[in-house]
Amino acid sequence: MLFTLLLLLFVAFYIFLKKQYSYWERNGIPSIKPTIPFGNLQSLVKKKRSFGHAIYDLYTSTNEPFIGIYLFFRPALLVRDAVLIKDVLLNDFQNFHDRGVYCEPKTDPMSATLFALPGRRWKNLRAKLTPAFTSAKLKGMFSTISNIASEFVKVCEPIAENREEIEIHQIAGRYVADCIATIAFGLDNVSTLNDPNHEFLLNGKEISQTSGFVERVRRSATFLCPNLLKFVGMKELPTFLQDFFLNIVKQTIKTREATGEIRQDIMQYLIQLRNNCPLENEDWKFDSLDGKAMSFEQIAGQVFIFYIAGNETSTSAIAYTLYELSQDIDLVRRVQEDIEETLEKHNGQLTYEAISDMQFVDLCVKETLRKYPFPMLNRECTKEYQIPGTQTVIKKGTPIVVSVLGIHRDERYFPEPDRYDPDRFASEKHHFNEDMYMPFGLGPRSCIAYRMGLLVSKVAVVMILRHYNIEMVKREELEFDFKGVGLMPKPGQCKIKLVKKVVVEFDLPQK
């Protein structure tokens, strides 16, 4: 009987797979042949490619404007055509307004983040959070960011004096973690720059670099099969991580409410929303259990997603900018001239306005985010959609995938895509498809905190190049690890040398 039962289960599973893997054929849409039972993600399972790079490989394997793929058992549509991408992300947003990822506000309130929330709840939360990232708010955070960047410079000093090679991605990640700990979580006692084993940093790495089977399933299911987490009652984060970040938020809020302390940071803004947002607005209300507009868990979810998203993009922007500059001494000279000339105009003060005026620094960071973007975007079809100019209909519930890495390195949209060329963004040139430059997404669901991420990145680049010359360790294209979704360099890859400069110190704004 046991043998018969196992045989029946095997046959049922085989029939299920045959049906799933014929989905695109049955719907008359070209597709990339899957490998049972991995779909089109075999390289991910074998730890040869990260999720983002696996999608990039699929992008480069075809010339079709859109093509069916299989994310394990789940059929998805990979969109490659510029016009269709713009329609999905912007023009016909009403048909693709959700990401289709795991989100359970009632049973797992920390999952109810701006990234994951669907429909009207996302729209209303976005409207409430947008004022936290205005120029005025960022200007208020600037002194905090610049002081952390000063510590970044100090930590690099003994390395430069000893003429040692430095893995710039690692130390840049610690600088970004300190920025997020301070301006998002409201902490003032975190310095991962001086303590690389600090629990705030290690717990952040645990999210993207965990290697345990259960955690890999949890992380993958969040994007690829959210119903699996709901079915088995598993939350988005393991309990110890939820408790860690939740305790930080609770302690910060209780301390500020008890002392009356007010700061210019994201946490302060969330506290104001928690205490002052009217509860009668059902579109905004979060079903909080403590009589507030937002619970501790819901606030913890927002700052946590800022940590995960901001850490990866800002760290890469800093590290890869410095790495690419180290490959071209002429670019280094132009950046340093831009810094010095701009500071002269601002009376030697490094201010928010001075950073905004550094035009060549801006071009370099833009080109870095072009060549090394967060590699993919995802949406879900929320209403049946006929692709313009075709008879093809995308059914409701279909995941949509855009390979940003593929687009940014496609010569149709960006000539000589493998060449690092900041001048491609100079206003008088623009020999590329501007609509397809989307390091922070495109349309209403683009990254809300992109200007904060750019500010954190630019301040670090400016401070390092103000105090140090940089030298190349070796000339080569970077290779990337299989861990996570983004572009994580393999160990020992992203190395540069720093050489201390003699500089006349400029003034930093006071807290």
Side-chain angles (χ1 to χ4, degrees), residues 267-285:
M267 179 58 71
Q268 191 66 46
Y269 187 80
L270 291 170
I271 292 172
Q272 292 170 357
L273 286 182
R274 166 180 162 82
N275 292 331
N276 300 328
C277 188
L279 289 174
E280 62 269 15
N281 184 345
E282 290 298 321
D283 287 340
W284 158 247
K285 189 177 174 184

Side-chain angles (χ1 to χ4, degrees), residues 200-247:
F200 187 83
L201 182 67
L202 296 181
N203 281 324
K205 288 182 177 180
E206 186 71 23
I207 305 300
S208 60
Q209 299 183 29
T210 184
S211 57
F213 175 76
V214 172
E215 295 311 317
R216 291 211 312 273
V217 170
R218 186 201 307 267
R219 188 177 64 203
S220 299
T222 299
F223 291 90
L224 304 179
C225 190
N227 288 332
L228 175 62
L229 293 184
K230 298 175 185 180
F231 178 75
V232 300
M234 184 181 286
K235 294 186 177 181
E236 183 177 12
L237 294 175
T239 301
F240 81 94
L241 283 178
Q242 283 209 349
D243 290 346
F244 174 76
F245 289 108
L246 181 58
N247 288 336

Side-chain angles (χ1 to χ4, degrees), residues 238-257:
T239 301
F240 81 94
L241 283 178
Q242 283 209 349
D243 290 346
F244 174 76
F245 289 108
L246 181 58
N247 288 336
I248 290 176
V249 168
K250 282 183 177 179
Q251 187 59 49
T252 301
I253 294 176
K254 289 179 179 179
T255 298
R256 292 195 188 182
E257 290 181 341

Side-chain angles (χ1 to χ4, degrees), residues 123-358:
K123 183 177 180 180
N124 282 279
L125 180 59
R126 173 92 181 198
K128 292 293 182 183
L129 292 182
T130 295
F133 300 97
T134 61
S135 295
K137 289 290 196 299
L138 293 176
K139 191 173 179 180
M141 302 174 197
F142 183 79
S143 64
T144 300
I145 296 170
S146 58
N147 284 324
I148 296 172
S150 294
E151 192 62 33
F152 186 10
V153 170
K154 291 178 183 177
V155 169
C156 291
E157 189 166 344
I159 301 172
E161 288 178 350
N162 294 329
R163 302 280 296 181
E164 296 174 3
E165 298 174 359
I166 179 173
E167 290 208 41
I168 193 62
H169 195 278
Q170 290 185 5
I171 195 166
R174 285 150 57 191
Y175 156 77
V176 173
D178 286 355
C179 287
I180 294 174
T182 305
I183 61 182
F185 286 86
L187 302 174
D188 56 10
N189 59 348
V190 172
S191 180
T192 67
L193 278 167
N194 292 293
D195 180 8
N197 294 314
H198 194 288
E199 60 180 348
F200 187 83
L201 182 67
L202 296 181
N203 281 324
K205 288 182 177 180
E206 186 71 23
I207 305 300
S208 60
Q209 299 183 29
T210 184
S211 57
F213 175 76
V214 172
E215 295 311 317
R216 291 211 312 273
V217 170
R218 186 201 307 267
R219 188 177 64 203
S220 299
T222 299
F223 291 90
L224 304 179
C225 190
N227 288 332
L228 175 62
L229 293 184
K230 298 175 185 180
F231 178 75
V232 300
M234 184 181 286
K235 294 186 177 181
E236 183 177 12
L237 294 175
T239 301
F240 81 94
L241 283 178
Q242 283 209 349
D243 290 346
F244 174 76
F245 289 108
L246 181 58
N247 288 336
I248 290 176
V249 168
K250 282 183 177 179
Q251 187 59 49
T252 301
I253 294 176
K254 289 179 179 179
T255 298
R256 292 195 188 182
E257 290 181 341
T259 62
E261 180 185 13
I262 296 177
R263 295 189 184 184
Q264 297 188 71
D265 59 18
I266 295 171
M267 179 58 71
Q268 191 66 46
Y269 187 80
L270 291 170
I271 292 172
Q272 292 170 357
L273 286 182
R274 166 180 162 82
N275 292 331
N276 300 328
C277 188
L279 289 174
E280 62 269 15
N281 184 345
E282 290 298 321
D283 287 340
W284 158 247
K285 189 177 174 184
F286 268 78
D287 305 315
S288 173
L289 299 178
D290 59 358
K292 300 285 188 178
M294 295 181 77
S295 69
F296 292 126
E297 289 84 358
Q298 289 148 0
I299 291 179
Q302 308 315 315
V303 292
F304 172 76
I305 202 65
F306 292 147
Y307 181 18
I308 297 305
N311 196 4
E312 188 146 4
T313 54
S314 295
T315 298
S316 293
I318 297 163
Y320 298 147
T321 296
L322 294 174
Y323 180 83
E324 287 286 353
L325 291 177
S326 75
Q327 307 283 302
D328 190 329
I329 191 65
D330 183 59
L331 291 181
V332 175
R333 176 187 56 77
R334 291 176 64 186
V335 172
Q336 290 176 330
E337 286 177 357
D338 183 33
I339 294 170
E340 298 301 329
E341 290 171 4
T342 306
L343 288 174
E344 273 189 41
K345 295 176 186 177
H346 290 267
N347 300 316
Q349 289 192 319
L350 183 65
T351 61
Y352 177 80
E353 291 79 9
I355 290 290
S356 301
D357 285 348
M358 293 178 184

